[in-house]
Amino acid sequence: MNVSVIVPVRDEEDSIRELLDSLLAQTHPPDEIVITDGGSVDATPQIIEDYKLKGAPVKLIRAGAALPGRGRNLAAAEAKCEWLAFTDGGIRLPKDWLQALIDKAEQDKSTDIVYGAMEPVTDTFFTECAAIAYVPPPSPRGDVVIRPPFIASSLVRREAWAKVNGFPESLRSGEDLIFMDRLEKAGYRAAFEPRAVVYWRLRSTLTATFKRFVVYSLNNIRAGLFNQWQAKILFRYATLLVLFVAALVIEPSWVWLPVALWLLMLIARAVVSIRRNRNCYPGSFIRNVRRGLMVTAILAVLDAAAIIGCFQWLVLDAFRGARKTPVEAG
């Protein structure tokens, strides 16, 4: 099986060497590595060029200010192989990652997509709590137990990518979810391979997490996925706001009640998150108490990011009325 590995990058000088070294060390080496640079202002393109000069099968596309969807589409269009393996900058790949994807595809010749597994890198207490807070735990999918599909560990027939018109190109995030949904609706057959695991590095602070999820929130709405995330959060906070205003008007001494309900809501969600991840991240009672405090804080930050993203969408898109959703554009 001939495979082109597709990688969109931007400002990845700290991680691109590790990614390229891991791709070149695969037990089944890729026939080519096609990288689209989306406007890096650091040394990323120069590092990639150095690998090319040393004879690595790397093709670099300089795309200017390209978002991940456009980066993947440009690379896929330039790829020469029948199969496209997708991964990202900042990802760590084991040596047998590509071989595991290929083995799964070759088990059934009617398979069009193979989704591998993703594991968050939890090398600090904060990133462990972050994984508990927002990374979905493994669940049964057919005959395997695996986390939800992750585009940065996937193998797709080039024909399928072309048939669904590739990835939306106007989104900073969420473009992968739309692409995978398009493949499913088009009737392409997917398989799951837990052995094809990649390691994803999470944001390491509350501030960095907040900034990242504000971007996710805005683009989630642009992707038409509002009901899958923000709708539930806005309903909860709208209810709390109504209770708060009612307390101010009717009996100001009761304003503590909606605040207490807000804290109880966050704590309950933290407890549920810790419980559903108990197999992934076992811990003592004391450690879970500590986790509970941190997960509660992370959930509050995620809620704030989701709400701010909604306001950004109202200002940038809804009020201007000049943007079409990817579904309409596609």
Side-chain angles (χ1 to χ4, degrees):
M1 182 183 290
N2 297 324
V3 180
S4 301
V5 174
I6 307 300
V7 190
V9 298
R10 181 176 181 179
D11 296 335
E12 294 286 352
E13 66 178 3
D14 293 334
S15 64
I16 190 64
R17 289 186 180 88
E18 181 182 29
L19 176 63
L20 287 172
D21 288 342
S22 67
L23 283 170
L24 296 173
Q26 291 292 301
T27 54
H28 184 120
D31 292 84
E32 62 175 354
I33 304 166
V34 190
I35 303 175
T36 302
D37 182 79
S40 293
V41 296
D42 64 5
T44 300
Q46 289 73 29
I47 294 171
I48 298 169
E49 291 288 358
D50 288 343
Y51 276 79
K52 288 179 60 179
L53 290 174
K54 294 175 182 177
V58 177
K59 178 184 292 186
L60 174 62
I61 302 170
R62 297 175 185 257
L67 296 174
R70 177 164 174 75
R72 292 192 184 98
N73 286 341
L74 289 172
E78 291 289 327
K80 65 182 181 182
C81 296
E82 175 190 359
W83 287 88
L84 308 174
F86 292 98
T87 192
D88 284 340
I91 294 288
R92 179 160 57 88
L93 303 171
K95 290 184 178 181
D96 60 348
W97 168 72
L98 189 56
Q99 184 67 66
L101 290 173
I102 291 171
D103 288 347
K104 190 67 174 182
E106 290 183 332
Q107 285 180 11
D108 184 347
K109 297 300 183 181
S110 66
T111 297
D112 303 299
I113 313 123
V114 180
Y115 292 118
M118 177 274 290
E119 285 297 325
V121 177
T122 54
D123 51 359
T124 67
F125 181 70
F126 179 85
T127 54
E128 179 183 297
C129 293
I132 292 171
Y134 61 79
V135 178
S139 60
R141 292 180 180 272
D143 58 349
V144 300
V145 177
I146 195 170
R147 296 185 194 271
F150 189 60
I151 198 63
S153 179
S154 63
L155 182 67
V156 181
R157 287 188 190 271
R158 194 176 189 279
E159 172 193 344
W161 163 82
K163 188 70 173 180
V164 300
N165 298 317
F167 295 81
E169 298 188 352
S170 61
L171 297 172
R172 179 63 187 84
S173 63
E175 82 292 337
D176 53 341
L177 301 178
I178 293 176
F179 174 69
M180 292 185 288
D181 184 61
R182 287 175 177 176
L183 290 172
E184 182 179 357
K185 289 180 177 178
Y188 289 104
R189 294 191 58 182
F192 298 88
E193 179 48 77
R195 294 184 302 120
V197 64
V198 301
Y199 295 93
W200 176 42
R201 188 163 292 280
L202 307 179
R203 299 292 165 167
S204 59
T205 65
L206 279 174
T207 301
T209 300
F210 172 75
K211 291 179 179 178
R212 173 58 60 185
F213 273 83
V214 169
V215 174
Y216 286 165
S217 178
L218 171 61
N219 286 274
N220 188 76
I221 301 175
R222 288 175 171 173
L225 304 174
F226 172 80
N227 288 332
Q228 296 184 20
W229 176 18
Q230 291 100 329
K232 182 162 44 176
I233 291 172
L234 288 181
F235 176 78
R236 291 170 180 162
Y237 281 86
T239 302
L240 291 171
L241 181 60
V242 169
L243 291 175
F244 184 81
V245 172
L248 282 177
V249 172
I250 299 172
E251 182 52 64
S253 63
W254 284 86
V255 293
W256 62 269
L257 180 59
V259 176
L261 289 174
W262 170 64
L263 289 173
L264 286 173
M265 175 189 72
L266 291 174
I267 293 170
R269 288 165 59 193
V271 170
V272 170
S273 296
I274 291 171
R275 178 172 176 74
R276 72 179 183 179
N277 282 280
R278 63 188 181 277
N279 294 326
C280 298
Y281 308 106
S284 65
F285 175 78
I286 297 299
R287 185 169 184 84
N288 281 330
V289 170
R290 292 179 57 220
R291 285 171 172 170
L293 295 173
M294 181 59 76
V295 172
T296 298
I298 293 172
L299 290 174
V301 165
L302 298 184
D303 287 355
I307 293 170
I308 290 174
C310 291
F311 282 111
Q312 285 187 341
W313 177 79
L314 287 173
V315 172
L316 297 175
D317 295 1
F319 289 161
R320 293 182 181 181
R323 190 185 190 90
K324 291 183 179 180
T325 65
V327 174
E328 291 169 345

